[in-house]
RNA sequence: GCCCCGGUGGUGGAACUGGUAGACACGCAGGACUUAAAAUCCUGUUCGCCGAAACGCGAGUACGGGUUCGAUUCCCGUCUGGGGCACCA
């Protein structure tokens, strides 16, 4: 019928169109996919509600920050994986919660607003719409009714509410949990703070009577030192360019994570979360959840627990009168140091205190005063970045001495920037023979080194061992260092000059930003006291303003809006900082459970049902930020009785990063040197593009050797007009070229010129008629022109192909470069699947005939394979399993409905659209999304015999088919009787025959 | 510097507890159908050697060694790529 149409009467395009629409038996994804997406949406098929009759399963993606750049192919990788798991669990009979939302507050939207004058609310909304459109096309099964946006007042009302809970709580160390601060006040009224060491300032001690005598301001200042969310002065990471404070995890190598701006230390009034109180539980909690070892290790390192001892040393300074004698005068102060190695106490040759240490002023002698001041000025002049970039050995002697409590030795006290004020006590005892840094310091300043570990110390390098035997150590002599630690701590405690101490590297988390686009703090200030707003006043909404310029130092833009800050003027002035990005993301997984509740953040009965997130999928970049904060918030909410579990994510799966595969062209431009001198611009002359090899050759020739470079090209390409007429100045550049206009590695010249019209007249040197681009694997980014947009792929191949191809690329948790080429293979597979149902000419070809044993074997082998692989997130091998199945069924010419129907259910999680279309075509009334997963029946796949590989001395020589129930004796007989086996045994006697049932046979001679 | 994780054909990758290395795809080569194109199908494809061919020989999972009847898999050393931490006493 089609062949009767004369090809000459219509264009090729028309012909193709006719051919396509003429046969609706072809796999037409452009029609199928939107159809089912709309239908599923209309039917509300992804709506989910509590159903106690079914087991629940909660699958969560890390919600995206809606950036203006939109999605590239790297983003959906994790979303596809979670979508597959959700659909799989649903078919398995679970009630599946699988929501999506947007982490919509944050710096970039505000930066964008400042630069382009578009309100962050507006740009955020636009970006979200784009994201949703992109996500929808891929066919994800989100229950969009549950969408949350952290920037919506209905959402951040509860972020503020939780903040107030944290503000109104403290961590009770006896009970190891957070409780309301009202309990603490009661305790203070009864007994003072004897039972509750002040976590913010452990020098605060008072009795019940004293407490009652304090003014309200004094009481509130003390309570602030206990609150889980508190305001205080502290050294913060101040970023001038962004005009805000950053948390430790937002600072990378001394510059801001976003934008790479310099960050300096500054003392400012800030809000904090007292996450350090949870350090130990955050650590032990790791044992109860399934995170990758790498992830657990990152968190463990970040928390940085170490145990040792605090030791206080008597201080003496040399007095003016006695400076010529050896006598030291007693000093009123004590120097408190922290060490993990109290066993090395007899090896202490000097003390080092941080430049910020408060004792410095007190203990510095008159002689050293000037040197110390000079040194401190120097340290202050150095930024964090400088400190990290060049680690110089610097320091200054204070003139003071500490006394070793065991042998009375006088130990000089130094100042150095290598000791950090914020860790331990900000002072250390230096043991140069056992610590690399101490050793280098001692060498640099010629401080004599005491050896307490005998041969283990060679005088040229410190040895940090714990296994050496101590010498020169008085009562510890002959003891193993490891054992001596306990002995020393016990003795220090008995003497009352030291105690066991655990320290953490983790600091309290900075929780305020001097920004507009974030949650306002529900706090008013009056007479220096912070008062929480009443719950009924929440949400405290952001004012709608035009300007976002920073307020006065340390205050946010909100400080410029008095009508907003004074809206509760009878109570006080509103806090002008806003909360950081991680506030909203610390609890969003709870809001999804009960997204429209305006009575509470999440009803307890509902959170009891959905409980923990069973599977959380996202990148590793949140290892020490979001994942730690949300764990802490969960623990706090649990302690306060608002939820019934204290870890948010039962299992975490980290998807790998999809890298870009960049393409390069190699540009050479010629100009006359006179012109270059005149204009200073070498570019813009006659242009050629050369092959990669030539580029590398040219690069080897010196940049200044214009003649050498041009001669090389003239020799290589004598026929090139451009080169023979070239100017005498040359510039050679490697340029990124858009991967989307390169076919594999071959440059498409027309597309290239269309993309970069300025090169329309350039000469492109071809090899074998082609220009082959250079390539490199890099991070996917717009500026490198290596991004691939999922939309174009979905348009060209369909969502099902796209989904399966992303999975087929390799293991989800592995990083890999994107390569569009292979997508054709997956597309072919889906067409092949389609052809099991439809024939181009015959149309429907499925039958109701009973399947053969062979066909059932193929099906059930596939059921097992897909089920196992999906269960262990091995999606790439599952896709290959589908391919094998379809290949085999095609070979068997199997068009049996019974087989095909089960196969459709299996493939639903991976390619839902084609599955639904064919499912309906088969005549099923309900949706395939609600089908029930086929049951694996081992009986269909059991074999009676097996083709055993037979090795002689471990080398595979032949294979023999033997019944599976054969005994070892029978096998031996069969094997030895075999001709080939005999040949390879070469008449040597049999030493041993190894027979592993169902696996292999090895003949040892 | 310290700590983790990797290294398998031309490419992405497979081999789940030590048991036939290279599944499944891409690419490439050849062929069929077609006036042609698209689509589809078939054959071959780790490397080297012999050969008309083989169910012929040898080597082979970064490299060198070890354990084992047998190692991509376990152990030791070296090289190399990626990630994390980085004065935390």
């Amino acid at each position: 019928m089609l062949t009767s149409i004369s090809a000459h009467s219509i264009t090729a395009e028309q012909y193709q169109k006719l051919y396509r629409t003429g046969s609706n038996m072809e796999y037409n994804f452009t029609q199928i996919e939107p159809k089912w997406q709309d239908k599923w949406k209309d039917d509300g098929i992804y709506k989910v509600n509590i159903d106690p009759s079914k087991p629940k399963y909660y699958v969560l993606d890390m919600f995206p920050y809606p950036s203006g750049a939109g999605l590239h192919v790297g983003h959906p990788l994790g979303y596809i994986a979670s979508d597959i798991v959700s659909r799989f669990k649903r078919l398995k009979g679970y009630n599946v919660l699988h929501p999506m939302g947007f982490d919509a507050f944050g710096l970039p939207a505000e930066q964008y607003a400042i630069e382009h004058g578009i309100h962050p609310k507006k740009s955020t909304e636009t970006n979200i719409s784009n994201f949703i459109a992109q996500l929808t096309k891929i066919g994800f099964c989100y229950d969009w009714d549950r969408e949350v946006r952290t920037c919506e007042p209905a959402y951040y009302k509860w972020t503020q509410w939780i903040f107030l809970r944290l503000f109104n709580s403290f961590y009770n160390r006896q009970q190891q949990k957070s409780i309301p601060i009202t309990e603490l006040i009661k305790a203070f009224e009864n007994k003072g703070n004897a039972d509750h060491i002040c976590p913010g300032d452990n020098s605060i001690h008072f009795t019940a009577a004293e407490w009652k005598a304090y003014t309200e301001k004094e009481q509130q200042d003390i309570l602030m030192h206990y609150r889980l969310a508190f305001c205080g002065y502290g050294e913060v990471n101040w970023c001038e360019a962004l005009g805000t404070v950053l948390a430790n995890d937002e600072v990378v190598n001394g510059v801001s994570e976003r934008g790479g701006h310099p960050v300096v230390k500054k003392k400012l009034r800030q809000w904090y979360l007292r996450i350090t109180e949870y350090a130990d539980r955050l650590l032990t909690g790791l044992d109860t959840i399934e995170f990758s070892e790498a992830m657990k290790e990152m968190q463990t390192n970040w928390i940085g627990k170490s145990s040792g001892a605090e030791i206080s040393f008597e201080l003496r300074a040399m007095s003016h009168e006695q400076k010529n004698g050896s006598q030291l005068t007693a000093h009123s102060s004590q120097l408190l140091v922290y060490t993990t190695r109290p066993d090395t106490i007899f090896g202490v040759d000097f003390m080092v205190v941080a430049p910020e240490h408060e004792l410095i002023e007190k203990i510095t002698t008159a002689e050293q005063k000037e040197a110390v001041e000079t040194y401190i000025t120097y340290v202050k002049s150095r930024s964090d970045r400088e400190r990290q970039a060049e680690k110089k050995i610097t320091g200054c002697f204070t003139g003071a001495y500490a006394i070793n409590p065991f042998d009375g030795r006088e130990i000089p006290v130094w100042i150095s920037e290598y000791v950090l004020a914020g860790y331990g006590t900000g002072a250390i005892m230096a043991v140069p023979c056992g610590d690399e840094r101490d050793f280098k310091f001692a060498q640099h300043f010629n401080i004599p080194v005491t050896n307490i570990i005998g041969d283990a110390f060679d005088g040229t390098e410190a040895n940090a061992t714990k296994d050496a035997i101590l010498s020169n150590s008085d009562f510890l002599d002959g003891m193993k260092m490891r054992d001596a630690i306990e002995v020393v701590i016990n003795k220090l405690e008995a003497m009352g000059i030291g105690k066991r101490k655990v320290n953490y590297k983790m600091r309290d988390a900075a929780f305020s930003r001097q920004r507009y686009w974030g949650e306002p703090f529900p706090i008013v200030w009056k007479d220096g006291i912070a008062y929480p707003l009443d719950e009924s006043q929440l949400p405290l909404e952001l004012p709608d303003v035009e300007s976002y310029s920073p307020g006065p130092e340390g205050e946010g833009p909100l400080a410029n809006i008095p009508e907003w800050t004074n809206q509760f003027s009878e109570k006080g002035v509103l806090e002008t900082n806003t909360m950081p990005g991680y506030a909203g993301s610390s609890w969003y997984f709870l809001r999804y459970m009960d997204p429209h509740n305006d009575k509470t953040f999440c009803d307890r009965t509902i959170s009891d049902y959905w409980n923990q997130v069973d599977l959380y999928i996202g990148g590793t970049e949140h290892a020490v930020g979001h994942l730690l904060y949300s764990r802490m918030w969960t623990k706090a909410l649990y302690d306060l009785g608002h939820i019934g579990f204290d870890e948010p994510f039962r299992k975490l799966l980290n998807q790998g990063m999809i890298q870009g595969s960049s393409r390069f062209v190699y540009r050479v431009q010629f100009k006359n040197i006179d012109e270059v001198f005149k204009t200073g611009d070498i570019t813009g002359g006659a242009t050629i593009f050369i092959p990669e090899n030539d580029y590398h050759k040219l690069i080897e020739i010196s940049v200044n050797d214009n003649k050498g470079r041009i001669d090389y090209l003239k020799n290589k390409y004598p026929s090139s007009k451009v080169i023979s007429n070239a100017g005498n100045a040359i510039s050679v550049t490697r340029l990124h070229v858009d991967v989307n206009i390169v076919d594999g590695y071959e440059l498409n010249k027309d597309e290239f010129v269309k993309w970069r019209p300025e090169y329309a007249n350039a000469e492109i040197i071809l090899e074998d008629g082609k220009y082959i681009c250079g390539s490199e694997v890099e991070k996917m980014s717009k500026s490198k022109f290596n991004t691939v947009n999922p939309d174009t792929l979905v348009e060209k191949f369909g969502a099902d192909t796209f989904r399966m191809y992303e999975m087929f690329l390799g293991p989800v948790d592995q990083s890999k470069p994107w390569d569009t080429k292979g997508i054709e293979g997956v597309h072919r597979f889906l067409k092949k699947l389609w052809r099991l149902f439809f024939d181009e000419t015959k149309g429907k070809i499925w039958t109701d005939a009973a399947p053969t044993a062979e066909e059932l074997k193929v099906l059930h082998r596939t059921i097992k394979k897909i089920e196992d692989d999906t269960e262990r997130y091995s999606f790439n091998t599952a896709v290959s399993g589908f391919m094998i199945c379809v290949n085999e069924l095609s070979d068997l010419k199997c068009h049996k409905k019974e087989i095909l129907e089960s196969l459709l259910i299996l493939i639903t999680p991976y390619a839902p659209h084609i599955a639904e279309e064919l499912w309906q075509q088969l005549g099923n009334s309900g949706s395939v999304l609600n089908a029930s997963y086929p049951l694996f029946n081992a009986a269909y796949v059991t074999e009676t015999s097996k083709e055993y590989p037979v090795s002689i001395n471990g080398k595979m020589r032949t294979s023999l088919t033997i019944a599976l129930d054969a005994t070892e004796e029978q096998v031996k007989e069969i094997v030895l009787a075999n001709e080939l086996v005999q040949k390879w045994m070469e008449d040597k006697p049999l030493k041993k025959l190894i027979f592993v049932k169902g696996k292999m046979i090895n003949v040892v001679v």
Side-chain angles (χ1 to χ4, degrees), chain A residues 576-636:
Chain A
T576 54
N577 283 336
T578 52
M579 298 185 200
Y582 66 80
S585 62
S586 290
W587 71 282
Y588 76 112
F589 67 97
L590 292 167
R591 188 62 180 172
Y592 283 137
M593 299 176 184
D594 193 9
H596 307 297
N597 196 328
D598 57 1
K599 302 280 180 305
T600 178
F601 72 105
C602 177
D603 190 273
R604 177 68 197 261
T605 56
I606 294 176
S607 65
D608 279 351
Y609 176 78
W610 290 113
N611 212 271
Q612 287 171 298
V613 173
D614 293 284
L615 178 65
Y616 194 29
I617 299 187
T620 49
E621 65 272 19
H622 297 110
V624 292
H626 160 64
L627 283 170
L628 223 38
Y629 298 127
S630 52
R631 290 184 61 215
M632 181 221 160
W633 283 45
T634 303
K635 286 178 191 302

Side-chain angles (χ1 to χ4, degrees), chain A residues 33-41 46 71 76 79 83 87 100 102 128-142 144 147 790-791 794 798-800 802-803 912-913:
Chain A
E33 292 181 351
K35 180 175 87 186
W36 289 113
Q37 282 166 13
D38 290 349
K39 173 91 167 110
W40 290 330
K41 196 180 166 194
Y46 299 134
L71 296 174
Y79 303 156
D83 196 69
R87 292 172 182 277
M100 181 47 99
F102 298 94
I128 288 178
S129 310
N130 288 338
F131 267 65
I132 293 179
Q134 283 192 294
L135 294 173
T136 306
K137 278 187 212 156
I138 303 171
F140 293 123
C141 62
Y142 299 120
W144 283 109
E147 180 198 342
D791 296 2
V794 168
D800 287 337
F802 177 69
R803 293 162 60 101
H913 308 89

Side-chain angles (χ1 to χ4, degrees), chain A residues 544-711:
Chain A
D544 198 355
V545 292
E546 302 295 315
S547 161
Y548 316 104
S549 49
E553 175 122 321
E555 308 241 19
L558 294 177
N560 297 332
I561 312 167
E563 57 277 24
W564 183 81
T565 55
N566 291 323
Q567 59 182 299
F568 302 103
S569 52
E570 72 287 357
K571 293 173 93 173
V573 181
L574 274 173
E575 167 68 53
T576 54
N577 283 336
T578 52
M579 298 185 200
Y582 66 80
S585 62
S586 290
W587 71 282
Y588 76 112
F589 67 97
L590 292 167
R591 188 62 180 172
Y592 283 137
M593 299 176 184
D594 193 9
H596 307 297
N597 196 328
D598 57 1
K599 302 280 180 305
T600 178
F601 72 105
C602 177
D603 190 273
R604 177 68 197 261
T605 56
I606 294 176
S607 65
D608 279 351
Y609 176 78
W610 290 113
N611 212 271
Q612 287 171 298
V613 173
D614 293 284
L615 178 65
Y616 194 29
I617 299 187
T620 49
E621 65 272 19
H622 297 110
V624 292
H626 160 64
L627 283 170
L628 223 38
Y629 298 127
S630 52
R631 290 184 61 215
M632 181 221 160
W633 283 45
T634 303
K635 286 178 191 302
L637 288 171
Y638 168 79
D639 289 351
L640 297 170
H642 298 298
I643 53 174
F645 45 92
D646 83 332
E647 282 289 347
F649 315 117
R650 206 175 54 74
K651 176 167 174 82
L652 175 71
L653 179 64
N654 293 117
Q655 93 247 22
M657 203 170 44
I658 296 215
Q659 293 139 320
S661 180
S662 303
R663 295 290 179 272
F664 300 100
V665 292
Y666 303 93
R667 185 187 68 183
V668 175
Q669 290 185 310
F670 304 98
K671 227 176 185 180
N672 278 315
I673 225 129
D674 301 343
E675 209 178 316
V676 173
F677 271 122
K678 240 186 275 163
T679 60
D681 177 21
I682 199 169
T683 59
T687 305
I688 60 168
F689 289 94
I690 56 172
E692 187 177 2
N693 284 342
D694 294 326
Y695 169 77
H696 292 303
K697 289 268 166 55
L698 288 181
I699 290 300
E700 278 167 28
I701 304 170
S702 159
V703 188
N704 299 319
D705 188 3
N706 281 307
K707 189 173 178 311
R709 289 180 160 198
I710 293 172
D711 285 349

Side-chain angles (χ1 to χ4, degrees), chain A residues 945-952 956-963 970-981 995 999-1001 1003:
Chain A
S945 65
K946 147 119 194 140
E947 192 183 337
Y948 282 95
V950 180
S951 310
I952 284 75
M956 224 284 270
R957 293 301 182 187
T958 185
S959 57
L960 288 172
T961 305
I962 303 172
Q970 291 170 315
V971 169
K972 193 171 178 178
E973 214 169 288
I974 297 167
V975 169
L976 292 182
N978 184 273
E979 230 174 276
L980 268 167
V981 174
F995 170 62
K999 287 262 155 107
M1000 46 65 70
I1001 296 160
V1003 181

Side-chain angles (χ1 to χ4, degrees), chain A residues 806-817:
Chain A
E806 286 242 354
M807 293 298 101
F808 191 54
L809 228 42
V812 253
D813 54 355
Q814 215 166 75
S815 288
K816 57 234 153 187

Side-chain angles (χ1 to χ4, degrees), chain A residues 866-903:
Chain A
I866 301 304
E867 201 173 338
D868 286 356
D869 285 358
T870 307
E871 210 85 65
R872 63 188 177 103
Y873 316 115
S874 179
F875 307 112
N876 56 326
T877 54
V879 173
S880 121
F882 284 123
M883 291 173 167
I884 293 169
C885 176
V886 168
N887 287 346
E888 287 177 347
L889 291 179
S890 298
D891 289 346
L892 290 170
K893 303 217 175 356
C894 170
H895 305 291
K896 313 263 171 73
K897 195 172 164 184
E898 193 183 324
I899 300 285
L900 297 180
E901 216 160 55
S902 294
L903 176 59

Side-chain angles (χ1 to χ4, degrees), chain A residues 50 102 231 263 270 321 359 373 383 434 523 547 652 746 754 774 835 881 919 932 962:
Chain A
I50 288 190
F102 298 94
C231 190
V263 171
Q270 293 298 325
E321 297 80 29
L359 271 182
E373 275 168 8
S383 70
I523 292 286
S547 161
L652 175 71
E746 190 184 340
K754 216 193 287 168
R835 285 200 306 273
W919 178 259
S932 53
I962 303 172

